[in-house]
């Protein structure tokens, strides 16, 4: 009986229900970002300004992918961010290229880890050796925004 009274007394004071507040410092307010864009161009480069990071946030870019339909083969693709030279992302990737109708389908898909600051632009640039006439590319980016 004395243990029952002790239990009731502790329950009434809140000592048995005390909780420790926990904050996940590794994932502070992640806001998901998913971007898809299509662009048609003429020439040897298809530079797509895919996303501008809103003021007050940092973009953690985790994935980039895209595809193009061209009359000739492409040399590669580049994922870059604008900003000060020592704070830019600049990644080049090879493309998978397959014959398609009278041209080529070229594509890439890759995990990326890039930190892009507020106001900076993420750009995807597909490039060829020579003028390919008119051609179209699609790009997709995903990641999340955090407050720095």
């Amino acid at each position: 009986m004395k243990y029952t009274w002790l239990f009731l007394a502790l329950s009434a004071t809140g000592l048995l229900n005390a909780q420790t507040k926990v904050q996940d410092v590794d994932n502070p307010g992640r806001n998901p970002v998913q971007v898809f864009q299509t662009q048609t161009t003429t020439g040897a480069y298809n530079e797509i300004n895919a996303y501008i990071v809103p003021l007050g946030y940092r973009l953690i870019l985790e994935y980039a992918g895209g595809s193009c339909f061209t009359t000739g083969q492409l040399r590669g693709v580049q994922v870059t961010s604008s900003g000060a030279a020592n704070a830019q992302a600049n990644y080049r990737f090879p493309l998978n290229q397959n014959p398609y109708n009278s041209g080529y389908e070229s594509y890439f898909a890759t995990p990326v880890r890039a930190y892009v600051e507020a106001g900076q632009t993420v750009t995807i640039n597909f490039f060829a050796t020579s003028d390919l006439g008119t051609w179209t590319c699609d790009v997709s980016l995903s990641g999340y925004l955090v407050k720095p």
Side-chain angles (χ1 to χ4, degrees):
M1 185 68 173
K2 66 180 177 181
Y3 293 113
T4 302
W5 287 110
L6 177 61
F7 176 77
L8 292 173
L10 290 174
S11 293
T13 62
L15 292 176
L16 290 182
N17 294 326
Q19 297 179 5
T20 303
K21 291 187 178 184
V22 177
Q23 180 181 4
D24 185 354
V25 295
D26 292 331
N27 303 308
R30 290 184 178 189
N31 299 304
V33 172
Q34 179 77 32
V35 176
F36 177 82
Q37 282 195 8
T38 300
Q39 180 171 295
T40 300
T41 192
T42 301
Y45 296 91
N46 196 340
E47 184 173 282
I48 302 169
N49 293 325
Y51 187 73
I52 299 173
V53 180
L55 295 178
Y57 288 93
R58 174 182 294 139
L59 172 67
I60 291 42
L61 182 60
E62 295 187 308
Y63 175 85
S67 64
C68 298
F69 293 97
T70 61
T71 56
Q73 289 188 320
L74 296 175
R75 286 186 21 228
V77 64
Q78 185 175 18
V79 178
T80 64
S81 69
S82 60
N86 61 349
Q88 290 179 353
N90 187 348
Y91 302 112
R92 287 186 178 219
F93 302 103
L95 291 163
N96 296 301
Q97 299 188 71
N98 298 312
Y100 183 79
N101 290 334
S102 60
Y104 292 90
E105 175 189 26
S106 304
Y107 60 92
F108 83 106
T110 187
V112 176
R113 179 61 73 156
Y115 304 94
V116 186
E117 299 302 323
Q120 293 184 352
T121 302
V122 177
T123 301
I124 310 286
N125 182 25
F126 294 92
F127 50 94
T129 305
S130 61
D131 188 335
L132 297 176
T134 300
W135 47 298
T136 300
C137 296
D138 300 324
V139 295
S140 181
L141 303 173
S142 63
Y144 56 91
L145 295 171
V146 295
K147 290 207 173 262

